Amino acid sequence: MKKTYKIGVIRGDGIGPEIIDEAIKVLDSVCTNEDFELSYEEYLMGGIAYDLKGTPLPDETIEGCLKSDAVLFGAIGGQKWDNLPRQFRPESGLLKLRKELGLFANLRPTAVFDELLDASTLKPEVLKGVDLFVVRELTGGIYFGEPRGNDGTKAYNTMVYTKPEIERIAKVAFESAMKRRKVVCSVDKANVLEVSQLWRDTVIEVAQAYPEVTLTHMYVDNAAMQLVRNPAQFDVILTGNIFGDILSDEASMISGSIGLLPSASIGGSVGLYEPIHGSAPDIAGQGIANPIATILSASMMLRFALGEEKAADRIESAIKKVLQEGYRTKDLAAYGAKEVCSTTQMGSIIADYVSRI
Ligand code: IPM
Ligand code: MG
């Protein structure tokens, strides 16, 4: 009997449903040669949940996710919901889900595919050897700090971190570094913010338990500059919620397309795996979205949530191969394309390669 993992699936808005379909296609293909199966249960979140249920995060979604072994998520949001009060906006659903599932650590790898060096806005010589890993704190900082408010003449948010919150995310960064090149760069604004001073002091304390790891510190403004000046200098970047949000979008451009980058949110009993890009409503339904970021997120899910390393490796090798062979979705059509394919064609080609590895 094959074991069966329960996967919660949130398709969401915009291109979310299209890219999730392709990730499931590839997962099903990988399973045929493995000793496990996946069963999928769909849950609503985002604008579609607001439209159908009156809330961007129905209780059934939280309960269903908690019963799953892992959750695969597409994307949420769109102009249609932009003018709703904050608590009804699709983004609030995602933020609440992260909090409810205790997903305090967001892992965002950025690597370059040699075939796509020209697709980046940076010069190819700057990109050689880039392989970095952003560890972003996800359930604290200014996103969640109280007090917050806006009375029309004055508005405020609070950036707050407690020592335990910093300790646990720092541990994730050091553990990640131990499996990589053993270098952590902690990014803060300790020259200005008290919260960053505590951040820095705490990271230095946590580092004592990891003598093999080299720890450096960088102010966030400098880090933003260094990421485009010399991104290859970084291994693990450890940072808080809002700095990580900004820096990980910046880092994504190094690889040439935001459509290539996956992420994992972990820390609670169930992890959430999603592409780092958004719902791209402008191209939704046209069959041109790049499903690779979501397929790579599915691979991260196999690796981190289910411990199915071999299956994850097979997906990653298939993607490399497909790019080497010159298959490209429209976003990358100008870069070494032998054949430009639609979202579903790209999913099918990857699924086919996976079945042959
Ligand atoms: C991300 C997104 C979210 C964030 C939004 C959609 C709330 O930008 O996952 O990076 O800011 O965390
Ligand atoms: Mg973001």
Side-chain angles (χ1 to χ4, degrees), residues 223-248:
M225 179 184 78
Q226 295 296 337
L227 266 176
V228 287
R229 193 186 75 87
N230 176 18
Q233 71 184 285
F234 295 107
D235 179 17
V236 174
I237 294 178
L238 161 64
T239 192
N241 205 342
I242 197 163
F243 298 158
D245 180 46
I246 298 165
L247 292 180
S248 61

mmCIF file of all heavy atoms in Angstrom, residues 223-248:
data_model
loop_
_atom_site.group_PDB
_atom_site.id
_atom_site.type_symbol
_atom_site.label_atom_id
_atom_site.label_comp_id
_atom_site.label_asym_id
_atom_site.label_seq_id
_atom_site.Cartn_x
_atom_site.Cartn_y
_atom_site.Cartn_z
ATOM 1 N N ALA A 223 21.836 46.586 2.235
ATOM 2 C CA ALA A 223 21.514 45.255 1.690
ATOM 3 C C ALA A 223 20.788 45.384 0.354
ATOM 4 O O ALA A 223 21.052 44.627 -0.590
ATOM 5 C CB ALA A 223 20.666 44.468 2.685
ATOM 6 N N ALA A 224 19.892 46.364 0.269
ATOM 7 C CA ALA A 224 19.156 46.577 -0.987
ATOM 8 C C ALA A 224 20.138 46.908 -2.107
ATOM 9 O O ALA A 224 19.999 46.438 -3.242
ATOM 10 C CB ALA A 224 18.142 47.698 -0.816
ATOM 11 N N MET A 225 21.154 47.695 -1.760
ATOM 12 C CA MET A 225 22.165 48.051 -2.762
ATOM 13 C C MET A 225 23.049 46.853 -3.106
ATOM 14 O O MET A 225 23.307 46.569 -4.283
ATOM 15 C CB MET A 225 23.029 49.194 -2.216
ATOM 16 C CG MET A 225 24.104 49.618 -3.172
ATOM 17 S SD MET A 225 25.154 50.883 -2.461
ATOM 18 C CE MET A 225 26.189 49.937 -1.381
ATOM 19 N N GLN A 226 23.510 46.134 -2.064
ATOM 20 C CA GLN A 226 24.419 45.002 -2.299
ATOM 21 C C GLN A 226 23.760 43.904 -3.136
ATOM 22 O O GLN A 226 24.434 43.197 -3.882
ATOM 23 C CB GLN A 226 24.895 44.410 -0.958
ATOM 24 C CG GLN A 226 25.756 45.351 -0.130
ATOM 25 C CD GLN A 226 27.067 45.706 -0.803
ATOM 26 O OE1 GLN A 226 27.563 44.973 -1.660
ATOM 27 N NE2 GLN A 226 27.629 46.847 -0.451
ATOM 28 N N LEU A 227 22.448 43.771 -2.999
ATOM 29 C CA LEU A 227 21.749 42.719 -3.760
ATOM 30 C C LEU A 227 21.854 42.923 -5.263
ATOM 31 O O LEU A 227 21.856 41.959 -6.019
ATOM 32 C CB LEU A 227 20.267 42.682 -3.371
ATOM 33 C CG LEU A 227 19.858 41.711 -2.282
ATOM 34 C CD1 LEU A 227 18.371 41.876 -1.970
ATOM 35 C CD2 LEU A 227 20.146 40.265 -2.676
ATOM 36 N N VAL A 228 21.919 44.176 -5.691
ATOM 37 C CA VAL A 228 22.089 44.395 -7.125
ATOM 38 C C VAL A 228 23.555 44.632 -7.490
ATOM 39 O O VAL A 228 23.951 44.455 -8.640
ATOM 40 C CB VAL A 228 21.199 45.550 -7.664
ATOM 41 C CG1 VAL A 228 19.756 45.116 -7.708
ATOM 42 C CG2 VAL A 228 21.350 46.807 -6.839
ATOM 43 N N ARG A 229 24.378 45.015 -6.509
ATOM 44 C CA ARG A 229 25.804 45.245 -6.800
ATOM 45 C C ARG A 229 26.551 43.920 -6.942
ATOM 46 O O ARG A 229 27.265 43.678 -7.883
ATOM 47 C CB ARG A 229 26.430 46.083 -5.686
ATOM 48 C CG ARG A 229 27.805 46.627 -6.044
ATOM 49 C CD ARG A 229 28.468 47.326 -4.857
ATOM 50 N NE ARG A 229 28.961 46.351 -3.886
ATOM 51 C CZ ARG A 229 30.160 45.768 -3.943
ATOM 52 N NH1 ARG A 229 30.991 46.075 -4.905
ATOM 53 N NH2 ARG A 229 30.511 44.876 -3.044
ATOM 54 N N ASN A 230 26.329 43.037 -5.925
ATOM 55 C CA ASN A 230 27.081 41.776 -5.916
ATOM 56 C C ASN A 230 26.280 40.692 -5.184
ATOM 57 O O ASN A 230 26.596 40.316 -4.063
ATOM 58 C CB ASN A 230 28.434 42.010 -5.232
ATOM 59 C CG ASN A 230 29.220 40.729 -5.113
ATOM 60 O OD1 ASN A 230 28.936 39.746 -5.817
ATOM 61 N ND2 ASN A 230 30.193 40.715 -4.225
ATOM 62 N N PRO A 231 25.209 40.203 -5.836
ATOM 63 C CA PRO A 231 24.321 39.261 -5.137
ATOM 64 C C PRO A 231 25.001 37.938 -4.775
ATOM 65 O O PRO A 231 24.558 37.258 -3.854
ATOM 66 C CB PRO A 231 23.184 39.035 -6.144
ATOM 67 C CG PRO A 231 23.706 39.475 -7.468
ATOM 68 C CD PRO A 231 24.738 40.525 -7.196
ATOM 69 N N ALA A 232 26.085 37.605 -5.453
ATOM 70 C CA ALA A 232 26.741 36.319 -5.182
ATOM 71 C C ALA A 232 27.400 36.283 -3.811
ATOM 72 O O ALA A 232 27.778 35.217 -3.320
ATOM 73 C CB ALA A 232 27.754 36.015 -6.281
ATOM 74 N N GLN A 233 27.541 37.448 -3.165
ATOM 75 C CA GLN A 233 28.168 37.459 -1.835
ATOM 76 C C GLN A 233 27.262 36.832 -0.768
ATOM 77 O O GLN A 233 27.720 36.503 0.312
ATOM 78 C CB GLN A 233 28.498 38.901 -1.408
ATOM 79 C CG GLN A 233 27.252 39.738 -1.075
ATOM 80 C CD GLN A 233 27.577 41.186 -0.750
ATOM 81 O OE1 GLN A 233 28.074 41.506 0.306
ATOM 82 N NE2 GLN A 233 27.305 42.069 -1.707
ATOM 83 N N PHE A 234 25.965 36.672 -1.059
ATOM 84 C CA PHE A 234 25.043 36.215 -0.024
ATOM 85 C C PHE A 234 24.809 34.707 -0.056
ATOM 86 O O PHE A 234 24.732 34.107 -1.126
ATOM 87 C CB PHE A 234 23.677 36.909 -0.177
ATOM 88 C CG PHE A 234 23.714 38.387 0.055
ATOM 89 C CD1 PHE A 234 23.603 39.261 -1.020
ATOM 90 C CD2 PHE A 234 23.864 38.901 1.333
ATOM 91 C CE1 PHE A 234 23.640 40.636 -0.815
ATOM 92 C CE2 PHE A 234 23.897 40.275 1.553
ATOM 93 C CZ PHE A 234 23.785 41.144 0.471
ATOM 94 N N ASP A 235 24.679 34.145 1.145
ATOM 95 C CA ASP A 235 24.192 32.768 1.273
ATOM 96 C C ASP A 235 22.799 32.865 1.902
ATOM 97 O O ASP A 235 21.809 32.981 1.191
ATOM 98 C CB ASP A 235 25.186 31.959 2.111
ATOM 99 C CG ASP A 235 24.753 30.524 2.331
ATOM 100 O OD1 ASP A 235 23.867 30.060 1.597
ATOM 101 O OD2 ASP A 235 25.294 29.864 3.234
ATOM 102 N N VAL A 236 22.710 32.909 3.227
ATOM 103 C CA VAL A 236 21.403 33.085 3.875
ATOM 104 C C VAL A 236 21.249 34.537 4.318
ATOM 105 O O VAL A 236 22.132 35.090 4.974
ATOM 106 C CB VAL A 236 21.279 32.155 5.104
ATOM 107 C CG1 VAL A 236 19.986 32.451 5.870
ATOM 108 C CG2 VAL A 236 21.308 30.696 4.659
ATOM 109 N N ILE A 237 20.129 35.145 3.946
ATOM 110 C CA ILE A 237 19.786 36.481 4.433
ATOM 111 C C ILE A 237 18.674 36.313 5.462
ATOM 112 O O ILE A 237 17.612 35.765 5.148
ATOM 113 C CB ILE A 237 19.302 37.392 3.284
ATOM 114 C CG1 ILE A 237 20.452 37.664 2.310
ATOM 115 C CG2 ILE A 237 18.725 38.696 3.834
ATOM 116 C CD1 ILE A 237 20.054 38.522 1.106
ATOM 117 N N LEU A 238 18.951 36.749 6.677
ATOM 118 C CA LEU A 238 17.967 36.645 7.766
ATOM 119 C C LEU A 238 17.397 38.025 8.026
ATOM 120 O O LEU A 238 18.155 38.966 8.285
ATOM 121 C CB LEU A 238 18.675 36.114 9.020
ATOM 122 C CG LEU A 238 17.977 36.356 10.366
ATOM 123 C CD1 LEU A 238 16.641 35.632 10.436
ATOM 124 C CD2 LEU A 238 18.883 35.920 11.517
ATOM 125 N N THR A 239 16.070 38.158 7.975
ATOM 126 C CA THR A 239 15.521 39.492 8.213
ATOM 127 C C THR A 239 14.071 39.455 8.675
ATOM 128 O O THR A 239 13.430 38.407 8.677
ATOM 129 C CB THR A 239 15.720 40.387 6.951
ATOM 130 O OG1 THR A 239 15.442 41.743 7.296
ATOM 131 C CG2 THR A 239 14.823 39.948 5.811
ATOM 132 N N GLY A 240 13.570 40.618 9.080
ATOM 133 C CA GLY A 240 12.212 40.720 9.606
ATOM 134 C C GLY A 240 11.169 40.782 8.494
ATOM 135 O O GLY A 240 11.497 40.699 7.309
ATOM 136 N N ASN A 241 9.940 40.971 8.910
ATOM 137 C CA ASN A 241 8.813 40.831 7.998
ATOM 138 C C ASN A 241 8.834 41.832 6.840
ATOM 139 O O ASN A 241 8.868 41.428 5.670
ATOM 140 C CB ASN A 241 7.514 40.934 8.815
ATOM 141 C CG ASN A 241 6.350 40.231 8.146
ATOM 142 O OD1 ASN A 241 6.379 39.939 6.966
ATOM 143 N ND2 ASN A 241 5.302 39.961 8.908
ATOM 144 N N ILE A 242 8.864 43.107 7.133
ATOM 145 C CA ILE A 242 8.732 44.062 6.017
ATOM 146 C C ILE A 242 10.023 44.168 5.206
ATOM 147 O O ILE A 242 9.988 44.261 3.975
ATOM 148 C CB ILE A 242 8.240 45.448 6.492
ATOM 149 C CG1 ILE A 242 7.736 46.231 5.269
ATOM 150 C CG2 ILE A 242 9.306 46.213 7.271
ATOM 151 C CD1 ILE A 242 6.863 47.406 5.609
ATOM 152 N N PHE A 243 11.179 44.103 5.883
ATOM 153 C CA PHE A 243 12.436 44.145 5.114
ATOM 154 C C PHE A 243 12.515 42.918 4.202
ATOM 155 O O PHE A 243 12.967 42.992 3.061
ATOM 156 C CB PHE A 243 13.656 44.174 6.044
ATOM 157 C CG PHE A 243 13.740 45.385 6.946
ATOM 158 C CD1 PHE A 243 14.499 45.343 8.117
ATOM 159 C CD2 PHE A 243 13.086 46.566 6.635
ATOM 160 C CE1 PHE A 243 14.590 46.444 8.956
ATOM 161 C CE2 PHE A 243 13.168 47.675 7.473
ATOM 162 C CZ PHE A 243 13.923 47.614 8.641
ATOM 163 N N GLY A 244 12.062 41.776 4.712
ATOM 164 C CA GLY A 244 12.099 40.541 3.926
ATOM 165 C C GLY A 244 11.138 40.588 2.756
ATOM 166 O O GLY A 244 11.409 40.048 1.680
ATOM 167 N N ASP A 245 10.000 41.236 2.965
ATOM 168 C CA ASP A 245 9.035 41.389 1.874
ATOM 169 C C ASP A 245 9.686 42.147 0.722
ATOM 170 O O ASP A 245 9.638 41.730 -0.436
ATOM 171 C CB ASP A 245 7.808 42.150 2.397
ATOM 172 C CG ASP A 245 6.764 42.348 1.318
ATOM 173 O OD1 ASP A 245 6.473 41.378 0.597
ATOM 174 O OD2 ASP A 245 6.261 43.477 1.178
ATOM 175 N N ILE A 246 10.330 43.245 1.067
ATOM 176 C CA ILE A 246 10.920 44.116 0.041
ATOM 177 C C ILE A 246 12.143 43.449 -0.595
ATOM 178 O O ILE A 246 12.267 43.371 -1.818
ATOM 179 C CB ILE A 246 11.293 45.477 0.674
ATOM 180 C CG1 ILE A 246 10.029 46.171 1.200
ATOM 181 C CG2 ILE A 246 12.027 46.353 -0.344
ATOM 182 C CD1 ILE A 246 10.280 47.323 2.144
ATOM 183 N N LEU A 247 13.041 42.948 0.235
ATOM 184 C CA LEU A 247 14.289 42.385 -0.309
ATOM 185 C C LEU A 247 14.029 41.127 -1.142
ATOM 186 O O LEU A 247 14.744 40.859 -2.103
ATOM 187 C CB LEU A 247 15.273 42.064 0.823
ATOM 188 C CG LEU A 247 15.837 43.276 1.572
ATOM 189 C CD1 LEU A 247 16.797 42.813 2.661
ATOM 190 C CD2 LEU A 247 16.523 44.264 0.634
ATOM 191 N N SER A 248 13.008 40.351 -0.768
ATOM 192 C CA SER A 248 12.794 39.122 -1.546
ATOM 193 C C SER A 248 12.206 39.431 -2.925
ATOM 194 O O SER A 248 12.483 38.725 -3.886
ATOM 195 C CB SER A 248 11.966 38.086 -0.780
ATOM 196 O OG SER A 248 10.700 38.583 -0.477
#
